[in-house]
């Protein structure tokens, strides 16, 4: 991580600005048990009807459930629909 990015994150933490994500940070929104929106992703790593894993800046976001489908995917965001049982962030190293 660059020194500038580290400084921005420390300033945000100390100023308690954690409610607003910094540019480029992944944003995951869960709408009930049927839809997950992931912004600022780096592509899909794993895709099945029971699990979809998406690469993000800090590692991977895994969505588990039944009848999962990738409904929309653009460079900035993707939408997963189906019966959502869980969403997990797996940090790298």
């Amino acid at each position: 991580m660059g020194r500038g990015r580290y400084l921005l994150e420390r300033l945000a933490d100390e100023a308690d600005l954690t409610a607003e994500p910094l540019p480029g940070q992944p944003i995951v929104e869960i709408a009930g048990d049927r839809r997950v929106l992931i912004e600022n992703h780096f592509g899909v790593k794993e895709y099945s009807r029971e699990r979809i894993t998406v690469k993000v800046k800090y590692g991977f976001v895994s969505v588990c459930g039944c009848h999962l489908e990738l409904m929309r995917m653009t460079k900035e965001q993707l939408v997963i629909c189906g019966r959502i049982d869980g969403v997990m962030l797996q940090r790298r190293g």
Side-chain angles (χ1 to χ4, degrees):
M1 174 184 329
R3 184 161 172 77
R5 167 75 77 208
Y6 175 75
L7 181 60
L8 281 174
E9 288 182 1
R10 282 210 45 214
L11 286 172
D13 286 343
E14 290 184 23
D16 197 27
L17 298 176
T18 55
E20 291 298 319
L22 294 172
Q25 283 188 326
I27 300 170
V28 179
E29 294 180 4
I30 304 169
D33 66 346
R34 298 288 179 193
R35 182 175 169 274
V36 175
L37 166 71
I38 302 173
E39 295 184 5
N40 301 320
H41 67 90
F42 294 104
V44 175
K45 178 185 180 229
E46 176 185 359
Y47 187 99
S48 74
R49 300 285 282 165
E50 292 79 34
R51 177 186 301 263
I52 298 176
T53 302
V54 179
K55 188 172 186 329
V56 295
K57 181 177 182 179
Y58 303 112
F60 300 96
V61 173
S62 291
V63 179
C64 300
C66 294
H67 310 292
L68 299 179
E69 292 184 69
L70 188 56
M71 296 303 289
R72 181 178 61 222
M73 181 172 169
T74 66
K75 186 177 178 182
E76 293 83 24
Q77 62 181 229
L78 57 81
V79 176
I80 299 168
C81 292
R83 192 187 84 208
I84 309 299
D85 292 330
V87 178
M88 181 175 64
L89 172 66
Q90 300 166 303
R91 287 188 171 270
R92 278 187 285 205

